């Protein structure tokens, strides 16, 4: 089994989900007392969030690159960045290490294409929805992406940072998300990408009628496939 290197803490709420999913998936595949070989380096999200807010993305990227180096020195075989938004600076991680980095949008795109879909709605932080670093990655796989209008984007972002990242789950916020999702469906979305690793704490597949792509779940399962050298990739 390969050792998975996890860059977490953005937020720790979703990093907890990664750890649980990865270990449950290993147990499901191998049985018995098996669990994942992994190293988690959890950073202080407040520092990264400040860099996001101030537009100092390169400074945040340098920090993540240094964290990636520590995981490689700890003998991780490959790396997961356990957040969607910070994939904006994934090149800092890729340039800092000599081991593979599994991109969350690539893993998600493979799932979307596996379902035979070509147009999805994207929910996430305002950075992920409004900037092109994430949408372009999905576009490269032949997937069209639509996002909610500005007022809804701001509401989605507020709920992520002021509630979900703090472990706060509110039914009123869930209803807001469901309304936004329905608007995206009305615009032709064939599936919905939860492009923030915390949104899966609030919205589940049973809440909507079209396919839901929980990026944290997809990314974590892809990591297990890589760790076990599985031949069952989509």
């Amino acid at each position: 089994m390969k050792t998975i290197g996890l860059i977490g803490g953005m937020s720790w709420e979703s990093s907890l989900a990664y750890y649980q999913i990865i270990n449950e998936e290993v147990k499901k595949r191998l049985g018995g007392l098996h669990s994942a070989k992994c190293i988690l380096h959890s950073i202080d999200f407040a520092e990264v969030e400040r860099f996001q807010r101030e537009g100092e993305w390169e400074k945040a990227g340098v920090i993540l690159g240094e964290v990636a180096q520590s995981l490689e020195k700890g003998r991780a075989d490959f790396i997961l960045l356990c957040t969607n938004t910070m994939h904006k600076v994934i090149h800092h991680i890729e340039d800092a290490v000599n081991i593979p980095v599994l991109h969350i949008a690539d893993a998600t795109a493979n799932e979307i294409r596996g379902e035979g879909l070509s147009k999805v709605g994207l929910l996430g932080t305002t950075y992920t929805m409004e900037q092109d670093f994430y949408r372009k990655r999905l576009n490269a796989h032949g997937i069209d992406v639509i996002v909610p209008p500005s007022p809804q984007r701001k509401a989605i972002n507020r709920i992520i940072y002021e509630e979900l990242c703090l472990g706060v789950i509110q039914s009123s916020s869930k209803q807001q998300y469901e309304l936004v999702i329905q608007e995206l469906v009305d615009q032709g979305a064939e599936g919905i990408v939860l492009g923030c690793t915390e949104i899966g704490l609030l919205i589940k597949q049973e809440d909507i009628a079209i396919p839901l792509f929980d990026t944290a779940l997809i990314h974590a399962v892809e990591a297990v496939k890589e760790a076990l050298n599985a031949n069952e990739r989509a």
Side-chain angles (χ1 to χ4, degrees):
M1 189 191 306
K2 295 178 183 177
T3 299
I4 305 169
L6 302 166
I7 303 178
M10 299 167 283
S11 68
W12 72 261
E13 295 283 347
S14 62
S15 301
L16 176 63
Y18 266 86
Y19 186 76
Q20 181 175 356
I21 293 165
I22 286 171
N23 280 286
E24 287 177 346
E25 190 69 15
V26 168
K27 181 180 179 181
K28 183 173 74 174
R29 290 167 184 262
L30 299 183
L33 296 175
H34 283 289
S35 57
K37 292 182 179 179
C38 61
I39 308 168
L40 171 62
H41 189 134
S42 186
I43 68 171
D44 181 3
F45 188 34
E47 183 177 13
V48 169
E49 189 278 331
R50 177 170 59 84
F51 286 139
Q52 290 177 343
R53 188 165 16 93
E54 296 175 353
E56 298 282 0
W57 293 94
E58 295 304 301
K59 290 182 179 179
V62 169
I63 290 174
L64 297 182
E66 292 172 351
V67 170
Q69 289 176 338
S70 74
L71 290 171
E72 184 175 27
K73 290 176 182 177
R75 308 188 78 172
D77 292 299
F78 62 95
I79 289 175
L80 268 68
L81 178 58
C82 303
T83 166
N84 284 275
T85 299
M86 293 314 297
H87 276 71
K88 176 179 172 67
V89 294
I90 194 71
H91 60 280
H92 278 285
I93 296 173
E94 294 169 334
D95 293 344
V97 296
N98 297 304
I99 56 178
V101 181
L102 300 188
H103 199 293
I104 194 168
D106 289 342
T108 301
N110 289 337
E111 290 292 319
I112 295 169
R113 298 303 297 176
E115 291 287 332
L117 309 183
S118 60
K119 186 174 184 179
V120 297
L122 173 64
L123 305 181
T125 65
T126 51
Y127 310 113
T128 300
M129 290 186 289
E130 295 177 358
Q131 299 180 26
D132 65 5
F133 68 94
Y134 201 88
R135 288 183 281 112
K136 276 189 174 180
R137 195 84 180 201
L138 294 178
N139 293 158
H141 290 268
I143 299 166
D144 291 330
V145 180
I146 55 176
V147 298
S150 180
Q152 285 91 333
R153 293 198 300 268
K154 291 177 181 177
I156 289 167
N157 188 76
R158 182 196 64 76
I159 290 168
I160 290 170
Y161 283 97
E162 296 181 12
E163 297 177 18
L164 302 182
C165 286
L166 300 174
V168 177
I169 308 297
Q170 298 197 52
S171 58
S172 59
S173 296
K174 182 174 182 177
Q175 290 172 357
Q176 279 187 267
Y177 271 60
E178 289 174 340
L179 288 173
V180 172
I181 289 171
Q182 185 56 55
E183 289 184 12
L184 292 172
V185 172
D186 292 341
Q187 294 177 50
E190 302 167 326
I192 299 296
V193 175
L194 304 186
C196 171
T197 51
E198 281 79 24
I199 300 178
L201 302 173
L202 184 67
I203 299 293
K204 307 295 183 183
Q205 180 61 74
E206 56 265 27
D207 297 321
I208 67 172
I210 63 174
L212 186 73
F213 299 94
D214 183 339
T215 54
L217 174 61
I218 292 168
H219 205 200
V221 171
E222 184 67 15
V224 173
K225 292 179 183 179
E226 179 66 26
L228 300 180
N229 288 318
N231 295 316
E232 51 202 86
R233 297 178 186 276

